[in-house]
């Protein structure tokens, strides 16, 4: 159990906010049939829980956010550690009500708590704020965010109290899918699993929950009836967009929400000035940034924390992961780029492979079937065809001929290659590291360079050509004579 020691001195409490956020994230996710914790499954390129934490962090300080973790708690904690949120362990997963019971101590200094679900990832900051506002304005003990999605199957249903024939905004009870009886299943209004509670009545009555249901769990949803019967106000607030509160319980839902999230991301980018010709065919992760007038062609994947500048063109079938790309960059089809930096006006591809640690300078060219790794290619330098550059520092205005290979590995250690400004490396050269080519040097084609080359020198590292006049015709004649015998 990890409880913060100084909850009452919590900054947001001191600031008079009084709101904590609890995120339920301890469940195993049985319906995903996975060996990994449900909330670490990804949509939009990051864990379900990370989406919820991001939305929550815009409402209260991370120190006032408590994730309830249980199944594979250490992995969940490790993945989210950088967010600065707090964690509370639920050692046995005995239901959503039981999960909140674990947070009793953590919530001691707070007046209210917003409860979010680690598996309801599309929730927006504005909606959470709306729940908070409604809850405090109305002096509610429990506020339930509800929705009417096209298909309510699988969700708990909301049963409101009636004033005569008119449904009020007071909730009588929530009934889980499994417990629906008779025409109750026709009820379309669902529980989103997102709530606000006044902390005092919540914990004054939470021990009244029982596990007397088909799942044998303590349902947080039963607090609606429990609090209502104790004379507290329990209200429903309908979400404007039911898409925001869809939950992930199965792989099919995971794929559906991933598609919704990516569609939303593409719309945001287009609204901000990026052209995406076939958004359905592109996979753009949530945290990606793209500048104005950049054009993304069909079938492109842009992954992780990639940042792309303005006026670039990313042609089809490229996969770009965690890269920083400048302005006016052209990525031709079929490039695979990972953990690399690409300067303004550079041109890559088709079929370039930048492995981690590649740094392509302003206006540099990397062409087809060129692989780079931990390599800096200076401003205006070119490696246009069929080349491997690993552990190399290459200056400005360098020309790397077709088929050049840096031999950076001897089977045990890696060594560096330095190529200074203005060097010309002839085609099919092998540069055996560690080696340095001085400024302005020239390497003859097909050389095997094993020693440093001084500045402005010519290095030729191959046998001299010998021509033997008539040799071929004599050889042919001899062979034919042999065959006739
Ligand atoms: C829950 C609600 C349901 C609502 C739906 C919305 C209950 C009983 N039902 O159902 O009314 O329509 O969410 O998506 O609350 N968790 C824990 N500890 C536990 C059990 C669950 O932390 O012991 C976490 C899970 O990791 C998950 C969340 O609570 O993030 C919801 O649990 P889940 O089992 O998915 O509830 P649903 O059946 O979806
Ligand atoms: Ca769920």
């Amino acid at each position: 159990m990890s409880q913060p020691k100084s909850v009452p001195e919590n900054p947001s409490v001191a600031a008079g906010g009084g709101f904590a956020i609890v995120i339920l994230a301890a469940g195993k996710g049985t319906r995903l049939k996975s060996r990994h914790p449900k909330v670490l499954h990804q949509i939009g390129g990051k864990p379900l829980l990370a989406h919820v934490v991001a939305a929550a962090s815009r409402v209260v300080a991370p120190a006032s956010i408590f994730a309830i973790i249980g199944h594979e708690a250490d992995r969940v904690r490790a993945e989210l550690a950088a967010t600065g949120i707090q964690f509370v362990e639920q050692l046995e997963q005995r239901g959503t009500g039981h999960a909140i019971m674990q947070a009793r101590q953590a919530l001691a200094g707070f007046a209210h708590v917003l409860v979010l679900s680690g598996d309801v990832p599309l929730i927006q900051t504005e909606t959470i704020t709306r729940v908070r506002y409604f809850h405090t304005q109305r002096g509610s003990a429990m506020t339930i965010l509800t929705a009417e999605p096209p298909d309510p199957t699988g969700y708990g249903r909301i049963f409101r109290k009636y004033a005569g024939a008119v449904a009020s905004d007071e909730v009588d009870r929530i009934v889980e899918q499994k417990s629906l009886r008779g025409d109750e299943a026709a009820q379309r209004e669902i529980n989103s699993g997102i709530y606000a509670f006044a902390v005092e009545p919540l914990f004054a009555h939470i021990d009244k929950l029982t596990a007397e249901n088909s799942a044998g769990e303590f349902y947080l949803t039963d607090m609606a009836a429990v609090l209502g019967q104790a004379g507290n106000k329990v209200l429903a607030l309908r979400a404007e967009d039911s898409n925001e509160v869809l939950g992930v319980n199965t792989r099919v839902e995971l794929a559906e929400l991933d598609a919704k999230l990516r569609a939303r991301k593409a719309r945001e980018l287009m609204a901000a000035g990026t052209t995406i010709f076939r958004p359905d065919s592109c996979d753009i992760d949530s945290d990606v940034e793209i500048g104005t007038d950049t054009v993304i062609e069909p079938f492109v994947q842009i992954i992780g924390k990639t940042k792309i500048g303005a006026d670039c063109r990313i042609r089809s079938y490229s996969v770009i992961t965690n890269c920083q790309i400048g302005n006016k960059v052209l990525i031709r089809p079929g490039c695979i780029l990972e953990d690399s930096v690409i300067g303004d006006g550079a041109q890559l591809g088709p079929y370039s492979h930048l492995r981690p640690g590649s740094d392509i300078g302003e206006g540099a060219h990397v062409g087809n079937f060129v692989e780079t790794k931990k390599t800096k290619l200076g401003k205006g330098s070119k490696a246009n065809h069929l080349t491997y550059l690993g552990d190399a520092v290459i200056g400005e205005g360098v020309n790397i001929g077709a088929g050049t290979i840096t031999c950076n590995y001897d089977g045990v250690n890696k060594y560096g290659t330095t190529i200074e400004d203005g060097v010309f490396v002839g085609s099919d050269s092998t540069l055996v590291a560690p080696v340095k080519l001085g400024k302005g040097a020239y390497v003859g084609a097909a050389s095997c360079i094993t020693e440093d080359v001084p500045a402005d020198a010519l290095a030729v590292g191959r046998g001299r050509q010998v021509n033997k006049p008539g040799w071929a015709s004599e050889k042919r004649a001899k062979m034919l004579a042999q065959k006739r015998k």
Side-chain angles (χ1 to χ4, degrees):
M1 179 85 77
S2 87
Q3 300 286 359
K5 297 213 167 48
S6 56
V7 166
E9 287 103 51
N10 195 298
S12 89
V13 176
F19 262 91
I21 292 183
V22 164
I23 306 174
L24 303 180
K28 184 168 185 293
T30 313
R31 288 162 281 184
L32 282 178
K33 303 203 168 57
S34 172
R35 287 182 292 130
H36 311 294
K38 180 203 242 182
V39 294
L40 292 187
H41 280 261
Q42 297 197 345
I43 63 168
K46 64 180 188 186
L48 295 173
L49 181 55
H51 289 280
V52 182
V53 169
S57 302
R58 285 182 225 116
V59 180
V60 301
S64 304
I65 299 174
F66 303 88
I68 313 286
I69 54 174
H71 183 68
E72 298 236 31
D74 292 343
R75 279 184 61 192
V76 178
R77 192 193 292 267
E79 284 257 355
L80 277 298
T83 61
I85 65 166
Q86 312 279 325
F87 297 94
V88 175
E89 271 190 50
Q90 181 191 22
L91 295 176
E92 267 183 284
Q93 287 78 62
R94 300 177 63 195
T96 47
H98 181 256
I100 293 290
M101 290 175 194
Q102 315 310 306
R104 186 191 288 261
Q105 227 179 305
L107 294 175
F110 295 92
H112 301 278
V113 58
L114 285 154
V115 177
L116 308 179
S117 246
D119 66 349
V120 181
L122 303 188
I123 190 68
Q124 297 284 287
T125 304
E126 298 70 37
T127 307
I128 303 172
T129 333
R130 207 176 136 232
V131 172
R132 178 175 66 178
Y133 183 77
F134 178 91
H135 178 76
T136 40
Q137 283 295 302
R138 295 287 302 273
S140 176
M142 175 181 186
T143 300
I144 304 152
L145 182 67
T146 74
E148 289 199 26
D151 180 9
T153 312
Y155 292 92
R157 306 297 211 288
I158 300 292
F159 292 89
R160 295 183 181 231
K161 288 183 178 165
Y162 275 78
V166 183
S168 73
D169 59 10
E170 285 195 55
V171 174
D172 179 54
R173 65 194 193 284
I174 303 174
V175 181
E176 290 305 297
Q177 172 79 35
K178 283 185 196 155
S179 311
L180 293 169
R181 297 282 167 266
D183 60 3
E184 282 180 341
Q187 179 64 4
R188 300 182 50 83
E189 187 174 15
I190 62 112
N191 167 29
S192 69
I194 291 168
Y195 322 86
F197 288 96
V199 169
E200 195 275 318
L202 171 66
F203 288 112
H205 298 285
I206 201 165
D207 296 330
K208 292 179 185 157
L209 292 180
T210 69
E212 285 155 21
N213 50 55
S214 57
E217 291 189 346
F218 295 93
Y219 288 162
L220 183 59
T221 47
D222 286 345
M223 284 311 292
V226 165
L227 285 168
Q229 278 155 24
N232 296 280
K233 207 188 261 186
V234 179
L235 300 178
L237 173 66
R238 210 182 257 112
E240 278 162 11
D241 178 5
S242 68
N243 279 318
E244 245 186 71
V245 300
L246 296 175
V248 174
N249 293 320
T250 64
R251 302 265 177 179
V252 170
E253 287 164 348
L254 190 73
E256 284 169 358
L257 263 61
D258 179 74
K260 279 183 199 294
L261 192 69
R262 291 182 190 281
R264 183 161 89 191
K265 177 73 186 179
R267 279 198 301 273
E268 282 167 15
L269 288 167
M270 289 190 278
T274 300
T275 295
I276 307 174
F277 277 124
R278 294 265 303 280
D280 299 353
S281 73
C282 294
D283 264 357
I284 304 179
D285 278 1
S286 300
D287 293 343
V288 166
E289 294 174 40
I290 307 180
T292 50
D293 292 315
T294 284
V295 176
I296 312 291
E297 291 192 0
F299 300 102
V300 163
Q301 290 192 12
I302 308 177
I303 305 208
K305 303 240 178 273
T306 296
K307 197 170 171 185
I308 301 178
D311 289 310
C312 295
R313 189 170 191 100
I314 314 296
R315 305 216 47 205
S316 294
Y317 311 114
S318 289
V319 180
I320 304 175
T321 308
N322 296 326
C323 287
Q324 305 293 311
I325 300 180
N327 301 319
K328 294 190 162 70
V329 170
L330 171 62
I331 313 277
R332 296 195 184 86
C335 290
I336 299 179
L337 318 177
E338 199 179 342
D339 295 302
S340 293
V341 177
I342 299 159
D344 292 349
Q347 298 192 11
L348 273 65
Y351 309 113
S352 303
H353 184 189
L354 304 194
R355 290 167 52 206
S358 300
D359 180 347
I360 308 304
E362 203 182 313
H365 290 191
V366 176
N368 36 199
F369 306 108
V370 172
E371 173 183 344
T372 62
K373 186 217 72 173
K374 281 197 193 146
T375 283
K376 182 172 167 57
L377 186 65
K379 188 171 169 180
S381 291
K382 292 175 184 168
N384 273 327
H385 330 266
L386 305 158
T387 285
Y388 173 63
L389 301 171
D391 303 300
V393 178
I394 302 169
E396 298 183 3
V398 169
N399 187 80
I400 305 284
T404 298
I405 305 286
T406 53
C407 308
N408 61 329
Y409 186 48
D410 62 5
V412 180
N413 294 306
K414 300 269 169 74
Y415 304 95
T417 297
T418 303
I419 304 178
E420 293 185 344
D421 295 351
V423 166
F424 182 95
V425 180
S427 295
D428 197 26
S429 293
T430 49
L431 310 175
V432 182
V435 73
K436 177 174 159 184
L437 313 187
K439 196 169 173 179
Y442 204 99
V443 173
S447 290
C448 178
I449 300 296
T450 54
E451 282 162 34
D452 289 356
V453 180
D456 292 321
L458 165 69
V460 183
R462 57 169 142 92
R464 263 197 174 281
Q465 181 171 332
V466 183
N467 290 340
K468 298 188 174 178
W471 185 93
S473 57
E474 282 166 28
K475 170 88 176 167
R476 262 192 309 270
K478 249 189 227 167
M479 286 191 298
L480 282 172
Q482 201 90 36
K483 207 175 172 188
R484 278 193 216 106
K485 268 188 195 162

